[in-house]
Amino acid sequence: ALDGLVDELTQRLLALPPAALARVTPRHAAPLARLFPVLERVATFAGAPGGGGGGLEGPELRRRAFEGMRGLLGALGSPVPVVLFIDDLHGCDTDSVALLRALLAPPDAPAVFILATLRDDPRGRSEGAASFVELEGGVLPLASTDRIPVPPLGAGDAESLARELLGDEREGVDELARTIAADAHGNPLALLELVRLVQRSPGRVPAGEVSLDDVLAERVQELAPAARRLLEAVAIAGRP
């Protein structure tokens, strides 16, 4: 779940001038780069003492890598605030939860603002994310935590949004908007994808006959053979 964050972090590090990069490179840069190989694109990480992790393995490698991440974020946050955005925290694995816990644990936790999205329904969460939520109130030192509920769109709002996106002049727009709103179940992203399907296939999708199954089927058909085989393997396995 944190790979995307580290990818973005790597891009920021690559844009820093040499002096600034040297200043923010942490003590345990090598173990951190071993845990997240994309960081090896950064010169000070690739050439850090103990390159390749220095033969470290298991818990000790992870401990030093986590310390390296704390040091990196702390250094980046000294001149400017650091904001970490984690989308779909409910899909977070146990390793990502452990890293987040290490980042936030006292003493001397880096000054970061974490913004995360998380499903209310525990059935949609991975084991790691469920642990994160359980720890949030006690073990994790989140002194200032705000939850902002984002409820589903109401039926009327969903229909209005679908109608606006489809275009009021479209034939049968009212019926199609109702169908899309019903199948989206208040989820704006699902609603947008349904509208896009109709717009991409105006002659193939009659009013009243569009569903998220159609969206998924079209996306699967568009995949390259290798990507499709990978998707099938992941679907059978049940997880990446």
Side-chain angles (χ1 to χ4, degrees):
L2 299 184
D3 287 343
L5 280 177
V6 179
D7 290 344
E8 293 292 333
L9 185 58
T10 300
Q11 293 301 317
R12 176 165 180 79
L13 293 173
L14 289 170
L16 291 177
L21 179 59
R23 182 184 62 80
V24 300
T25 299
R27 173 187 174 193
H28 295 302
L32 182 57
R34 183 171 171 188
L35 200 63
F36 296 100
V38 68
L39 285 168
E40 293 181 354
R41 296 174 55 197
V42 182
T44 53
F45 282 77
L56 297 173
E57 297 291 344
E60 183 61 17
L61 170 66
R62 193 165 77 161
R63 184 187 69 79
R64 295 196 188 188
F66 287 1
E67 287 185 11
M69 183 62 79
R70 281 172 62 101
L72 175 60
L73 293 177
L76 287 172
S78 59
V80 294
V82 173
V83 179
L84 303 180
F85 172 61
I86 305 173
D87 196 15
D88 292 339
L89 181 61
H90 48 265
C92 205
D93 58 22
T94 52
D95 288 338
S96 296
V97 171
L99 176 54
L100 287 171
R101 183 168 50 193
L103 289 178
L104 297 170
D108 303 323
V112 297
F113 178 86
I114 297 178
L115 177 64
T117 62
L118 176 68
R119 290 180 184 172
D120 285 334
D121 186 356
R123 293 172 298 179
R125 303 173 187 161
S126 69
E127 178 184 349
S131 299
F132 182 91
V133 173
E134 292 170 2
L135 294 170
E136 186 183 46
V139 178
L140 290 178
L142 298 178
S144 298
T145 304
D146 292 322
R147 289 183 179 271
I148 304 175
V150 182
L153 289 174
D157 290 335
E159 288 184 27
S160 297
L161 178 59
R163 189 180 298 107
E164 180 180 346
L165 293 172
L166 289 166
D168 291 335
E169 70 283 356
R170 182 187 181 94
E171 182 179 355
V173 65
D174 291 336
E175 180 184 356
L176 187 53
R178 282 193 295 271
T179 299
I180 289 175
D183 205 58
H185 298 288
N187 186 317
L189 177 59
L191 188 147
L192 179 59
E193 289 298 327
L194 288 165
V195 169
R196 286 174 174 171
L197 174 64
V198 172
Q199 292 172 335
R200 288 194 301 269
S201 311
R204 200 185 70 192
V205 183
E209 296 183 16
V210 61
S211 70
L212 286 174
D213 288 341
D214 298 321
V215 173
L216 294 174
E218 183 184 68
R219 292 293 179 85
V220 171
Q221 290 296 328
E222 292 174 349
L223 291 175
R228 189 168 179 176
R229 288 194 297 271
L230 176 60
L231 175 62
E232 291 170 351
V234 173
I236 294 171
R239 59 181 299 175

